[in-house]
Amino acid sequence: MNVTTPTINGTEVPVFYVVDEHDHPAGSSTMLGFWLYLMSDCLIFAMLFATFGVLGGSYAAGPGPKDLFDLKLVALNTAMLLFSSITYGLAMLEMMKGRVKSTQMWLGITGLFGLAFLCIELYEFHHMIHEGAGPWRSAFLSSFFTLVGTHGLHVTFGIIWLVTLMVQVARFGLIEANQRRLMCLSMFWHFLDVVWIGVFTFVYLLGVLR
Amino acid sequence: MSADAHAAHGHGHDDHGHDDGRDHGSMKSYLIGFFLSVVLTAIPFWLVMTGVIENKNWTIAIVVAFAVVQIVVHMIYFLHMKTTSDAGWTMMALIFTIIIVVIALSGSLWVMYHLNVNMMPVHDMRNMP
């Protein structure tokens, strides 16, 4: 979109018309920014998966996946995370309708499922360490605890964030800022579920098959 | 001036009229996603726990395939990924990440496998990745 105007000495100088940028309301780019954060988080998990992929067979004559993993427990854990995903979705739907009470209720249920997931995971870790299969035992266990522990840590922070937002919603209602925060946490929560699909498939199921 | 008018209206491509081109799902999409996830989770667990398929490699291939499908299901029904979100930047970031992840994962496994095979005095075949 430029036209050229002849100048005195005959050379043509382009004239530029600056197309006005549409204005960006507060928080309009938050979702994209948060998505980029999730993608970088995805890279962290990819590296931990790669580490587990390389070291996952080095048992140092210690216990292997077959001796350690209880698939029933993992299935229960997976169910907890899956339920928490759908209840968070229901909270989002209630949020869109502007219903504070039912939003809070579904958020609370989501938090409880997340807490159940954490408790089961901590029980599993405790059980393994009690049997002498801690992260110091072998390269396999080091990479296992790092990968699954990092995921667990993410869930922990997700729950802290969830509680914080519940307090925020209780105090200020479903204002626009709170809706945006809830949407960010929604992405975070579902993203953790996606990572867990990788964990239960590559660590637990393929570990037992190995 | 049509470009100008388009810029002024910004995103708002979707019918909900949100300013970022995202939709936030409906009861139906969440329930479909949940149902598919349950099925796609239950089948791999069932396959591994009962060992119905004799051939291990087939079981591995099926389990991995189910995981990939389930990740896509989550992306669509829970994360509401659309090619139009944020004028396509969301999808661009995702594609870029997938490329990096594939390079990092396949590269690490490939290099370290050959390092193990070629450099290590092998005394125990179980230590092979």
Side-chain angles (χ1 to χ4, degrees):
Chain A
M1 282 212 5
N2 64 67
V3 272
T4 50
T5 48
T7 50
I8 308 158
N9 52 12
T11 54
E12 297 200 332
V13 178
V15 177
F16 294 99
Y17 294 92
V18 178
V19 179
D20 271 345
E21 284 256 339
H22 54 280
D23 42 315
H24 298 277
S28 67
S29 52
T30 306
M31 300 314 282
L32 179 58
F34 194 75
W35 180 254
L36 294 182
Y37 156 69
L38 286 184
M39 291 297 101
S40 64
D41 219 16
C42 194
L43 294 184
I44 293 180
F45 279 110
M47 297 312 139
L48 293 177
F49 271 111
T51 313
F52 183 83
V54 170
L55 300 175
S58 312
Y59 307 132
K66 266 182 203 156
D67 316 313
L68 294 171
F69 295 159
D70 181 3
L71 280 188
K72 276 178 201 150
L73 210 59
V74 181
L76 186 65
N77 235 353
T78 310
M80 289 300 130
L81 216 53
L82 210 53
F83 280 131
S84 81
S85 254
I86 182 78
T87 54
Y88 201 107
L90 295 176
M92 292 299 285
L93 292 177
E94 291 303 310
M95 183 199 83
M96 298 322 277
K97 291 175 191 156
R99 295 181 194 151
V100 177
K101 265 197 180 162
S102 44
T103 308
Q104 293 281 58
M105 184 193 76
W106 286 119
L107 285 179
I109 294 174
T110 308
L112 288 179
F113 276 127
L115 214 56
F117 171 85
L118 268 187
C119 289
I120 295 169
E121 190 164 284
L122 284 177
Y123 165 78
E124 188 197 15
F125 281 6
H126 175 80
H127 187 69
M128 283 170 75
I129 290 172
H130 191 71
E131 285 188 340
W136 56 85
R137 184 61 188 84
S138 63
F140 153 66
L141 283 166
S142 301
S143 55
F144 167 81
F145 274 96
T146 315
L147 173 58
V148 183
T150 307
H151 180 271
L153 215 55
H154 274 76
V155 176
T156 312
F157 281 106
I159 293 173
I160 294 172
W161 190 3
L162 187 85
V163 172
T164 315
L165 282 186
M166 283 177 74
V167 174
Q168 287 264 11
V169 171
R171 288 195 64 178
F172 303 107
L174 289 169
I175 54 173
E176 207 182 327
N178 277 345
Q179 293 202 12
R180 194 168 65 233
R181 289 162 190 154
L182 283 170
M183 277 190 251
C184 282
L185 181 56
S186 158
M187 287 164 79
F188 186 72
W189 200 262
H190 293 311
F191 167 76
L192 288 184
D193 212 3
V194 171
V195 174
W196 183 254
I197 298 171
V199 173
F200 81 69
T201 303
F202 290 102
V203 175
Y204 289 102
L205 292 183
L206 295 196
V208 171
L209 277 181
R210 196 191 279 262
Chain B
M1 294 312 282
S2 64
D4 217 351
H6 182 76
H9 284 294
H11 318 285
H13 301 296
D14 64 356
D15 13 317
H16 300 287
H18 286 292
D19 58 352
D20 52 3
R22 261 165 216 292
D23 82 304
H24 304 286
S26 60
M27 189 58 133
K28 200 179 145 206
S29 78
Y30 275 116
L31 287 179
I32 293 173
F34 181 70
F35 175 74
L36 286 176
S37 299
V38 169
V39 172
L40 291 169
T41 305
I43 292 175
F45 269 98
W46 175 72
L47 281 179
V48 175
M49 284 165 97
T50 56
V52 237
I53 300 174
E54 292 285 310
N55 190 336
K56 253 184 192 179
N57 291 334
W58 271 111
T59 317
I60 289 174
I62 294 170
V63 166
V64 171
F66 270 101
V68 172
V69 174
Q70 200 186 346
I71 287 173
V72 175
V73 165
H74 271 249
M75 289 272 179
I76 294 171
Y77 289 102
F78 289 157
L79 282 166
H80 310 304
M81 281 296 295
K82 284 197 308 182
T83 47
T84 50
S85 301
D86 284 308
W89 286 109
T90 319
M91 191 53 82
M92 288 288 266
L94 178 67
I95 292 168
F96 177 67
T97 310
I98 290 173
I99 292 172
I100 300 277
V101 166
V102 167
I103 292 174
L105 278 177
S106 57
S108 305
L109 294 176
W110 182 45
V111 169
M112 294 310 286
Y113 173 77
H114 283 279
L115 208 62
N116 270 342
V117 169
N118 296 328
M119 309 279 286
M120 300 272 254
V122 179
H123 53 272
D124 183 357
M125 283 308 285
R126 283 188 312 145
N127 288 351
M128 305 302 288

